[in-house]
Amino acid sequence: MKQLLTLLCFVFSTTLFSQNYFPKNDGVKTENHSYHAFTNATLHISPTETLENATLLIKDGKVISSGKQVQIPENTTVINLEGKHIYPSFVDIYSSFGTKKPTRAENSNSPQYDASREGYYWNDHIKPEQNAIEGYAFDAKTATELREAGFGTVNTHIPDGIIRGTGSLIALSPSGTDASRILSDRSAQYLSTSKSVTFRQAYPTSLMGAMALIRQVNYDADWYAKGLSETKDRSLEAFNNNKDLVQIIDAGSKMNDLRMDKVGDDVNTQYVIVGGGDEYELIHEIKATNASFIIPINFPDAFDMEDPIMANTASLSDMREWNQKPSNPAVLHKNGVPFALTLHDLKKPSEFMPNLQKAIEYGLDETAALAALTTVPAKIIRKSNDIGTLKNGSYANFLITSGTIFDTKTTLYENWVLGNRHEIVPMNTKDIRGDYELQVAGTTYDLKISGEISKLKATVKTDTQKLGSKITMTDDWLALTFSSIDTTKQDFVRLSAKITNTPNISGAAILPNGNETTFYAKKLESKAAEKSDDSDDDDNKESKSDVRIFPVTFPNEAYGFTERPKQQTILFQNATVWTNEEAGILKNTDVLVKDGKIAKIGNNLSAGNAMVIDATGKHITSGVIDEHSHIATAAVNEAGQNSTAEVTIEDVVDSDDINIYRNLSGGVTTIQILHGSANPIGGRSAIIKLKWGESAQNLIFPDSPKFIKFALGENVKQSNWGDYSRSRFPQTRMGVEQVYTDYFTRAKEYEALKKSGKPYRKDLEMETLVEILNKDRFISCHSYVQSEINMLMEVAERFNFNINTFTHILEGYKVADKMKEHGVGASTFSDWWAYKYEVNDAIPYNAAILHNQGIVTAINSDDAEMSRRLNQEAAKAIKYGGVSEEEAWKMVTLNPAKLLHIDDRVGSVKVGKDADMVLWNGHPMSIYTKAEKTLIEGKVYFDMDRDKQIRESIKQEKNELTTMMLQAKNKGLKTKPVVKKVDEHFHCDTI
């Protein structure tokens, strides 16, 4: 049999895919078109179609027939696979096989703001003209590793850039040439959120910038396709040519999955999404994308928790990830989300099968696992007729195994690619794995042989000792060496035996003293073997019934909900109610919350089926509103250009930010997440409600008014950025004014062209600025110095619109009269000053002076820590300026609601408004007061009693996970050190 297979391999490798019109100058030209039949196998034609005692017939690298009644032609080479299984070879459609690692561009002394290429798109990170096939070279070493992992085909691409160009479908056969290996040279177009390392262009510097750029490319490509461009753009031409291909985008996390799908919706493209393995945390939202996914199975190692001090610093979310992530494929399958599996993110292909087996232990159906490696990836890249099954006409890519493919005891013997045989383990290799009673020179040992059939492991034990050992087997000759029982000596017992077809093993033994004797190893029954000391086997796996997976919470971290909060009917009785309306502060008053709204306010209200809360001695207010925040976002600045009106914070809302919960504990219910102050014209804002546990999209304030961040001062002219960043315009305050004038002039011209009915290029940046000119979008402007404040009001009046809010506005007291005349509001700090040069003239009386001038004045945080104490910040307006308690309280509730144009829904306790309310255990501006309950639309998102209970639950869960990690280490599984995470707080100048 072995000689037959060797001959078969030679014949196939030299003749099968030769190109018959090529001249042959190195010998006689021959062709072989013989049939090969694999008989008596368990044939898995597809994941859902399995035949016993079946035959696979192949010829010229294709499947000719498969089934139980296959007619075998004369002169067919027949291979009997009785007791063996045949499967389709695996397919990985997210690979970089055969491509060169991109060379990183050299550093420079200053940022590069413009593209470095001519005749291409204006952004160097957009490279649809890049084709993987042009730089492709077959990598024989990596191909061998991939075949040994079960793969026969990969879809490769160059992993560099935001739009990366086309990929190629490659068969992993070292036989033949690329003429046969390259199954498709344009199989898909690839995208990502990461910039090219080969170029230095600054834009984009953020995730939201990358998302805006992808949208703009699509709009520009549509415009270019209509022949409206006056110049040639090779990038847009390539992009348009690639539109008919499958579009695969590397998202890399559950939130980015949803973000990229939204970008796809905006440009009418259904992306295939490369996930991050954490999709189980937002599975319902993931399913709603209707996307197909490519899922890595790079599961994290357990933490080394032996040091109790370091163990205490491990976050619950990271500990849960270790426990829950292997269940991701199972959760996707159970929820009907189509997905393919990929080697992406693994250090080496040999890690793939153990991780997949772990996913199966954590609940993944084996049929679904096989589909994720065969039929699903084939379908995604539109090659179902060619790869992924063993149906007639498909490529002869298949595996021959000793048993079912995902069984830990199964051996992969051969991987045939394009009809070429590639031996991994000889089929005649005898499987000697199991448990033995070993007798040597009158001493009895327990011998366990485990591991892969081609890479055996041995464990030798006495009743009291585990002895060091090493085992090898070559051509049916076993060699086993183990240390002697006397641990004071470096002595060894050496065994050698010829393996036969009998279950027991016998042979020669050389003792430590040099004497030769015999040994005998009796194989134990399988049931006994299963009950033997499995804990000593590094490959030991828990059965599915033993796997404990902790439940997912919303969000899936500390303080998350086991179920998302639901609206309740609640009656608060006998409270002191701060209405922020004409009624003022009402004593001993009831408030009824129903259907997410404030239903009634009065005395002696009836409860009905409502939950009744005795609020005697307590205060009820509307929720605190922070007009200027940078929490709950994955990015804050897009600093790659002096105007970034095309980007929006709504794209990067981070619903998992723990600061949402912390703010709720301080009574905050609504915030405006502002873009930073890296440029004169920044990005668009996101107004969100702090609905802890909801998805990012559900946090966004329904039908919220449109806002954008502008900025003045030191940050936008890069005064404090160092010499490296002194190249971008503007570099002076005078230049800042010219930026505004230039952009609004261009916006007027853009709008005029748009209204003319003539063809125009849709420009997201200009669209946003036109909204400002038409008073459909409001400006919140970062500001300090009076001269610049005056300047921007004058620019706005010149273009016939108003600034909505000056935020920070620390010199506002100097120009309060002009601000009043302009009609702009103020959102200031309570008592910040002298923290940089341009705030030297700040005073704590600023808020009171602005308020007394009749300007709508709010107090904001611009800080993740201060935002949860805004109730106390409001009280400072009483100390500095003598503002009344009610008016001071409005500075963190009703007034920011007015500035955000949402005061018709929130900001006061009024019948018909959203039930965004706080129950305080004392005066709301006292430093001793705490929020007992914080409601948003009638749902309780923070409850002090629940907070106390959940702290104990967190402690218990961490303790249980710690124990599980310690047990994993004791089993010999890999661990990693605990690294304490440091929370990153975004500010205006964070890049």
PDB file of all heavy atoms in Angstrom, residues 576 578 585 587 617-619 621 871-872 875 878 885-886 889 920-930:
ATOM      1  N   THR A 576     -39.832  65.654  48.459  1.00  0.00           N
ATOM      2  CA  THR A 576     -39.604  67.054  48.100  1.00  0.00           C
ATOM      3  C   THR A 576     -39.208  67.065  46.626  1.00  0.00           C
ATOM      4  O   THR A 576     -38.190  66.479  46.249  1.00  0.00           O
ATOM      5  CB  THR A 576     -38.486  67.666  48.949  1.00  0.00           C
ATOM      6  OG1 THR A 576     -38.879  67.638  50.330  1.00  0.00           O
ATOM      7  CG2 THR A 576     -38.218  69.104  48.530  1.00  0.00           C
ATOM      8  N   TRP A 578     -38.185  68.898  43.159  1.00  0.00           N
ATOM      9  CA  TRP A 578     -37.613  70.073  42.506  1.00  0.00           C
ATOM     10  C   TRP A 578     -38.105  70.060  41.057  1.00  0.00           C
ATOM     11  O   TRP A 578     -37.545  69.367  40.204  1.00  0.00           O
ATOM     12  CB  TRP A 578     -36.084  70.015  42.538  1.00  0.00           C
ATOM     13  CG  TRP A 578     -35.494  70.093  43.920  1.00  0.00           C
ATOM     14  CD1 TRP A 578     -35.740  69.274  44.969  1.00  0.00           C
ATOM     15  CD2 TRP A 578     -34.547  71.063  44.379  1.00  0.00           C
ATOM     16  NE1 TRP A 578     -35.018  69.656  46.070  1.00  0.00           N
ATOM     17  CE2 TRP A 578     -34.266  70.752  45.732  1.00  0.00           C
ATOM     18  CE3 TRP A 578     -33.900  72.153  43.784  1.00  0.00           C
ATOM     19  CZ2 TRP A 578     -33.373  71.496  46.497  1.00  0.00           C
ATOM     20  CZ3 TRP A 578     -32.999  72.891  44.547  1.00  0.00           C
ATOM     21  CH2 TRP A 578     -32.746  72.573  45.886  1.00  0.00           C
ATOM     22  N   ILE A 585     -40.240  74.294  44.126  1.00  0.00           N
ATOM     23  CA  ILE A 585     -39.957  73.110  44.939  1.00  0.00           C
ATOM     24  C   ILE A 585     -41.210  72.756  45.723  1.00  0.00           C
ATOM     25  O   ILE A 585     -41.732  73.573  46.500  1.00  0.00           O
ATOM     26  CB  ILE A 585     -38.778  73.372  45.892  1.00  0.00           C
ATOM     27  CG1 ILE A 585     -37.521  73.731  45.082  1.00  0.00           C
ATOM     28  CG2 ILE A 585     -38.505  72.141  46.760  1.00  0.00           C
ATOM     29  CD1 ILE A 585     -36.336  74.155  45.939  1.00  0.00           C
ATOM     30  N   LYS A 587     -43.172  70.452  48.466  1.00  0.00           N
ATOM     31  CA  LYS A 587     -42.962  69.606  49.647  1.00  0.00           C
ATOM     32  C   LYS A 587     -44.029  68.514  49.705  1.00  0.00           C
ATOM     33  O   LYS A 587     -45.147  68.678  49.207  1.00  0.00           O
ATOM     34  CB  LYS A 587     -43.024  70.447  50.926  1.00  0.00           C
ATOM     35  CG  LYS A 587     -42.055  71.621  50.967  1.00  0.00           C
ATOM     36  CD  LYS A 587     -40.652  71.171  51.253  1.00  0.00           C
ATOM     37  CE  LYS A 587     -39.720  72.370  51.478  1.00  0.00           C
ATOM     38  NZ  LYS A 587     -38.341  71.955  51.749  1.00  0.00           N
ATOM     39  N   GLY A 617     -38.727  62.536  53.411  1.00  0.00           N
ATOM     40  CA  GLY A 617     -37.406  63.032  53.774  1.00  0.00           C
ATOM     41  C   GLY A 617     -36.411  62.992  52.630  1.00  0.00           C
ATOM     42  O   GLY A 617     -35.240  63.326  52.822  1.00  0.00           O
ATOM     43  N   LYS A 618     -36.884  62.616  51.459  1.00  0.00           N
ATOM     44  CA  LYS A 618     -36.006  62.499  50.292  1.00  0.00           C
ATOM     45  C   LYS A 618     -36.408  63.500  49.220  1.00  0.00           C
ATOM     46  O   LYS A 618     -37.489  64.093  49.280  1.00  0.00           O
ATOM     47  CB  LYS A 618     -36.034  61.067  49.753  1.00  0.00           C
ATOM     48  CG  LYS A 618     -35.577  60.046  50.798  1.00  0.00           C
ATOM     49  CD  LYS A 618     -35.725  58.615  50.331  1.00  0.00           C
ATOM     50  CE  LYS A 618     -35.310  57.637  51.442  1.00  0.00           C
ATOM     51  NZ  LYS A 618     -35.438  56.222  51.049  1.00  0.00           N
ATOM     52  N   HIS A 619     -35.531  63.674  48.246  1.00  0.00           N
ATOM     53  CA  HIS A 619     -35.754  64.666  47.204  1.00  0.00           C
ATOM     54  C   HIS A 619     -35.809  63.994  45.837  1.00  0.00           C
ATOM     55  O   HIS A 619     -35.040  63.064  45.560  1.00  0.00           O
ATOM     56  CB  HIS A 619     -34.641  65.718  47.202  1.00  0.00           C
ATOM     57  CG  HIS A 619     -34.610  66.562  48.436  1.00  0.00           C
ATOM     58  ND1 HIS A 619     -34.788  67.924  48.417  1.00  0.00           N
ATOM     59  CD2 HIS A 619     -34.423  66.242  49.748  1.00  0.00           C
ATOM     60  CE1 HIS A 619     -34.711  68.411  49.645  1.00  0.00           C
ATOM     61  NE2 HIS A 619     -34.468  67.399  50.474  1.00  0.00           N
ATOM     62  N   THR A 621     -35.554  64.933  41.739  1.00  0.00           N
ATOM     63  CA  THR A 621     -35.224  65.945  40.736  1.00  0.00           C
ATOM     64  C   THR A 621     -35.251  65.293  39.360  1.00  0.00           C
ATOM     65  O   THR A 621     -35.274  64.067  39.237  1.00  0.00           O
ATOM     66  CB  THR A 621     -33.813  66.534  40.962  1.00  0.00           C
ATOM     67  OG1 THR A 621     -32.833  65.518  40.646  1.00  0.00           O
ATOM     68  CG2 THR A 621     -33.625  67.001  42.398  1.00  0.00           C
ATOM     69  N   ASN A 871     -23.818  67.573  40.712  1.00  0.00           N
ATOM     70  CA  ASN A 871     -24.762  68.125  41.691  1.00  0.00           C
ATOM     71  C   ASN A 871     -24.033  69.024  42.689  1.00  0.00           C
ATOM     72  O   ASN A 871     -24.559  70.065  43.117  1.00  0.00           O
ATOM     73  CB  ASN A 871     -25.501  66.998  42.422  1.00  0.00           C
ATOM     74  CG  ASN A 871     -24.589  66.096  43.219  1.00  0.00           C
ATOM     75  OD1 ASN A 871     -23.527  65.689  42.734  1.00  0.00           O
ATOM     76  ND2 ASN A 871     -24.987  65.756  44.442  1.00  0.00           N
ATOM     77  N   GLN A 872     -22.810  68.662  43.036  1.00  0.00           N
ATOM     78  CA  GLN A 872     -22.025  69.497  43.947  1.00  0.00           C
ATOM     79  C   GLN A 872     -21.423  70.700  43.229  1.00  0.00           C
ATOM     80  O   GLN A 872     -21.285  71.776  43.802  1.00  0.00           O
ATOM     81  CB  GLN A 872     -20.922  68.658  44.591  1.00  0.00           C
ATOM     82  CG  GLN A 872     -21.443  67.488  45.416  1.00  0.00           C
ATOM     83  CD  GLN A 872     -20.344  66.544  45.856  1.00  0.00           C
ATOM     84  OE1 GLN A 872     -19.189  66.945  45.973  1.00  0.00           O
ATOM     85  NE2 GLN A 872     -20.692  65.297  46.091  1.00  0.00           N
ATOM     86  N   ALA A 875     -23.675  73.630  43.222  1.00  0.00           N
ATOM     87  CA  ALA A 875     -23.757  74.369  44.480  1.00  0.00           C
ATOM     88  C   ALA A 875     -22.724  75.489  44.552  1.00  0.00           C
ATOM     89  O   ALA A 875     -22.898  76.477  45.286  1.00  0.00           O
ATOM     90  CB  ALA A 875     -23.570  73.404  45.647  1.00  0.00           C
ATOM     91  N   ILE A 878     -23.813  79.000  44.039  1.00  0.00           N
ATOM     92  CA  ILE A 878     -24.418  79.669  45.194  1.00  0.00           C
ATOM     93  C   ILE A 878     -23.327  80.381  45.997  1.00  0.00           C
ATOM     94  O   ILE A 878     -23.472  81.543  46.398  1.00  0.00           O
ATOM     95  CB  ILE A 878     -25.162  78.650  46.082  1.00  0.00           C
ATOM     96  CG1 ILE A 878     -26.236  77.919  45.266  1.00  0.00           C
ATOM     97  CG2 ILE A 878     -25.773  79.330  47.299  1.00  0.00           C
ATOM     98  CD1 ILE A 878     -26.878  76.758  46.004  1.00  0.00           C
ATOM     99  N   GLU A 885     -30.772  78.627  45.055  1.00  0.00           N
ATOM    100  CA  GLU A 885     -30.643  77.181  44.975  1.00  0.00           C
ATOM    101  C   GLU A 885     -31.331  76.634  43.721  1.00  0.00           C
ATOM    102  O   GLU A 885     -30.780  75.783  43.017  1.00  0.00           O
ATOM    103  CB  GLU A 885     -31.240  76.519  46.222  1.00  0.00           C
ATOM    104  CG  GLU A 885     -30.375  76.649  47.457  1.00  0.00           C
ATOM    105  CD  GLU A 885     -30.879  75.765  48.590  1.00  0.00           C
ATOM    106  OE1 GLU A 885     -31.930  75.097  48.402  1.00  0.00           O
ATOM    107  OE2 GLU A 885     -30.222  75.716  49.643  1.00  0.00           O
ATOM    108  N   GLU A 886     -32.532  77.112  43.458  1.00  0.00           N
ATOM    109  CA  GLU A 886     -33.263  76.603  42.292  1.00  0.00           C
ATOM    110  C   GLU A 886     -32.550  76.937  40.993  1.00  0.00           C
ATOM    111  O   GLU A 886     -32.431  76.092  40.090  1.00  0.00           O
ATOM    112  CB  GLU A 886     -34.685  77.163  42.262  1.00  0.00           C
ATOM    113  CG  GLU A 886     -35.598  76.579  43.327  1.00  0.00           C
ATOM    114  CD  GLU A 886     -37.033  77.069  43.166  1.00  0.00           C
ATOM    115  OE1 GLU A 886     -37.639  76.748  42.117  1.00  0.00           O
ATOM    116  OE2 GLU A 886     -37.525  77.786  44.060  1.00  0.00           O
ATOM    117  N   TRP A 889     -29.455  74.834  40.641  1.00  0.00           N
ATOM    118  CA  TRP A 889     -29.777  73.449  40.257  1.00  0.00           C
ATOM    119  C   TRP A 889     -30.115  73.350  38.769  1.00  0.00           C
ATOM    120  O   TRP A 889     -29.767  72.368  38.109  1.00  0.00           O
ATOM    121  CB  TRP A 889     -30.919  72.923  41.107  1.00  0.00           C
ATOM    122  CG  TRP A 889     -31.226  71.473  40.821  1.00  0.00           C
ATOM    123  CD1 TRP A 889     -32.337  70.947  40.270  1.00  0.00           C
ATOM    124  CD2 TRP A 889     -30.346  70.370  41.062  1.00  0.00           C
ATOM    125  NE1 TRP A 889     -32.235  69.589  40.153  1.00  0.00           N
ATOM    126  CE2 TRP A 889     -31.015  69.208  40.632  1.00  0.00           C
ATOM    127  CE3 TRP A 889     -29.058  70.264  41.604  1.00  0.00           C
ATOM    128  CZ2 TRP A 889     -30.441  67.941  40.724  1.00  0.00           C
ATOM    129  CZ3 TRP A 889     -28.493  68.997  41.699  1.00  0.00           C
ATOM    130  CH2 TRP A 889     -29.179  67.855  41.253  1.00  0.00           C
ATOM    131  N   TRP A 920     -32.971  61.300  45.587  1.00  0.00           N
ATOM    132  CA  TRP A 920     -31.813  61.572  46.443  1.00  0.00           C
ATOM    133  C   TRP A 920     -32.185  61.325  47.897  1.00  0.00           C
ATOM    134  O   TRP A 920     -33.326  61.566  48.296  1.00  0.00           O
ATOM    135  CB  TRP A 920     -31.355  63.025  46.287  1.00  0.00           C
ATOM    136  CG  TRP A 920     -31.087  63.469  44.883  1.00  0.00           C
ATOM    137  CD1 TRP A 920     -31.974  64.002  44.006  1.00  0.00           C
ATOM    138  CD2 TRP A 920     -29.821  63.438  44.195  1.00  0.00           C
ATOM    139  NE1 TRP A 920     -31.366  64.316  42.814  1.00  0.00           N
ATOM    140  CE2 TRP A 920     -30.029  63.981  42.898  1.00  0.00           C
ATOM    141  CE3 TRP A 920     -28.535  63.021  44.540  1.00  0.00           C
ATOM    142  CZ2 TRP A 920     -29.011  64.098  41.964  1.00  0.00           C
ATOM    143  CZ3 TRP A 920     -27.516  63.143  43.611  1.00  0.00           C
ATOM    144  CH2 TRP A 920     -27.754  63.673  42.340  1.00  0.00           C
ATOM    145  N   ASN A 921     -31.210  60.908  48.690  1.00  0.00           N
ATOM    146  CA  ASN A 921     -31.510  60.680  50.108  1.00  0.00           C
ATOM    147  C   ASN A 921     -31.367  61.938  50.950  1.00  0.00           C
ATOM    148  O   ASN A 921     -31.478  61.894  52.173  1.00  0.00           O
ATOM    149  CB  ASN A 921     -30.646  59.555  50.686  1.00  0.00           C
ATOM    150  CG  ASN A 921     -29.162  59.897  50.693  1.00  0.00           C
ATOM    151  OD1 ASN A 921     -28.753  61.004  50.328  1.00  0.00           O
ATOM    152  ND2 ASN A 921     -28.343  58.936  51.113  1.00  0.00           N
ATOM    153  N   GLY A 922     -31.127  63.067  50.308  1.00  0.00           N
ATOM    154  CA  GLY A 922     -31.050  64.336  51.009  1.00  0.00           C
ATOM    155  C   GLY A 922     -31.091  65.471  50.011  1.00  0.00           C
ATOM    156  O   GLY A 922     -31.456  65.290  48.838  1.00  0.00           O
ATOM    157  N   HIS A 923     -30.700  66.664  50.444  1.00  0.00           N
ATOM    158  CA  HIS A 923     -30.670  67.827  49.561  1.00  0.00           C
ATOM    159  C   HIS A 923     -29.768  67.521  48.368  1.00  0.00           C
ATOM    160  O   HIS A 923     -28.618  67.085  48.541  1.00  0.00           O
ATOM    161  CB  HIS A 923     -30.128  69.038  50.332  1.00  0.00           C
ATOM    162  CG  HIS A 923     -30.287  70.342  49.623  1.00  0.00           C
ATOM    163  ND1 HIS A 923     -29.592  70.656  48.475  1.00  0.00           N
ATOM    164  CD2 HIS A 923     -31.079  71.429  49.897  1.00  0.00           C
ATOM    165  CE1 HIS A 923     -29.926  71.861  48.072  1.00  0.00           C
ATOM    166  NE2 HIS A 923     -30.829  72.363  48.912  1.00  0.00           N
ATOM    167  N   PRO A 924     -30.231  67.735  47.130  1.00  0.00           N
ATOM    168  CA  PRO A 924     -29.474  67.266  45.957  1.00  0.00           C
ATOM    169  C   PRO A 924     -28.111  67.908  45.782  1.00  0.00           C
ATOM    170  O   PRO A 924     -27.264  67.357  45.072  1.00  0.00           O
ATOM    171  CB  PRO A 924     -30.394  67.595  44.779  1.00  0.00           C
ATOM    172  CG  PRO A 924     -31.335  68.630  45.283  1.00  0.00           C
ATOM    173  CD  PRO A 924     -31.523  68.332  46.732  1.00  0.00           C
ATOM    174  N   MET A 925     -27.861  69.075  46.405  1.00  0.00           N
ATOM    175  CA  MET A 925     -26.561  69.718  46.228  1.00  0.00           C
ATOM    176  C   MET A 925     -25.648  69.560  47.433  1.00  0.00           C
ATOM    177  O   MET A 925     -24.556  70.141  47.465  1.00  0.00           O
ATOM    178  CB  MET A 925     -26.756  71.204  45.894  1.00  0.00           C
ATOM    179  CG  MET A 925     -27.271  71.419  44.490  1.00  0.00           C
ATOM    180  SD  MET A 925     -27.435  73.150  44.004  1.00  0.00           S
ATOM    181  CE  MET A 925     -28.961  73.593  44.831  1.00  0.00           C
ATOM    182  N   SER A 926     -26.049  68.746  48.369  1.00  0.00           N
ATOM    183  CA  SER A 926     -25.218  68.509  49.545  1.00  0.00           C
ATOM    184  C   SER A 926     -24.115  67.514  49.224  1.00  0.00           C
ATOM    185  O   SER A 926     -24.327  66.549  48.485  1.00  0.00           O
ATOM    186  CB  SER A 926     -26.071  67.972  50.688  1.00  0.00           C
ATOM    187  OG  SER A 926     -25.249  67.495  51.746  1.00  0.00           O
ATOM    188  N   ILE A 927     -22.937  67.746  49.806  1.00  0.00           N
ATOM    189  CA  ILE A 927     -21.840  66.809  49.588  1.00  0.00           C
ATOM    190  C   ILE A 927     -22.087  65.481  50.299  1.00  0.00           C
ATOM    191  O   ILE A 927     -21.398  64.491  50.025  1.00  0.00           O
ATOM    192  CB  ILE A 927     -20.496  67.399  50.059  1.00  0.00           C
ATOM    193  CG1 ILE A 927     -20.522  67.704  51.557  1.00  0.00           C
ATOM    194  CG2 ILE A 927     -20.132  68.621  49.248  1.00  0.00           C
ATOM    195  CD1 ILE A 927     -19.173  68.088  52.116  1.00  0.00           C
ATOM    196  N   TYR A 928     -23.055  65.438  51.196  1.00  0.00           N
ATOM    197  CA  TYR A 928     -23.352  64.212  51.930  1.00  0.00           C
ATOM    198  C   TYR A 928     -24.452  63.380  51.267  1.00  0.00           C
ATOM    199  O   TYR A 928     -24.711  62.255  51.668  1.00  0.00           O
ATOM    200  CB  TYR A 928     -23.779  64.563  53.366  1.00  0.00           C
ATOM    201  CG  TYR A 928     -22.745  65.365  54.103  1.00  0.00           C
ATOM    202  CD1 TYR A 928     -22.923  66.725  54.347  1.00  0.00           C
ATOM    203  CD2 TYR A 928     -21.554  64.770  54.540  1.00  0.00           C
ATOM    204  CE1 TYR A 928     -21.965  67.465  55.004  1.00  0.00           C
ATOM    205  CE2 TYR A 928     -20.594  65.506  55.213  1.00  0.00           C
ATOM    206  CZ  TYR A 928     -20.805  66.852  55.438  1.00  0.00           C
ATOM    207  OH  TYR A 928     -19.843  67.588  56.090  1.00  0.00           O
ATOM    208  N   THR A 929     -25.079  63.941  50.256  1.00  0.00           N
ATOM    209  CA  THR A 929     -26.232  63.292  49.635  1.00  0.00           C
ATOM    210  C   THR A 929     -25.787  62.281  48.583  1.00  0.00           C
ATOM    211  O   THR A 929     -24.813  62.497  47.860  1.00  0.00           O
ATOM    212  CB  THR A 929     -27.151  64.349  49.004  1.00  0.00           C
ATOM    213  OG1 THR A 929     -27.733  65.123  50.052  1.00  0.00           O
ATOM    214  CG2 THR A 929     -28.254  63.716  48.184  1.00  0.00           C
ATOM    215  N   LYS A 930     -26.551  61.206  48.489  1.00  0.00           N
ATOM    216  CA  LYS A 930     -26.311  60.186  47.474  1.00  0.00           C
ATOM    217  C   LYS A 930     -27.583  59.946  46.667  1.00  0.00           C
ATOM    218  O   LYS A 930     -28.692  60.111  47.183  1.00  0.00           O
ATOM    219  CB  LYS A 930     -25.865  58.873  48.113  1.00  0.00           C
ATOM    220  CG  LYS A 930     -24.540  58.953  48.847  1.00  0.00           C
ATOM    221  CD  LYS A 930     -24.173  57.603  49.461  1.00  0.00           C
ATOM    222  CE  LYS A 930     -22.848  57.686  50.211  1.00  0.00           C
ATOM    223  NZ  LYS A 930     -22.510  56.373  50.825  1.00  0.00           N
TER     224      LYS A 930
END
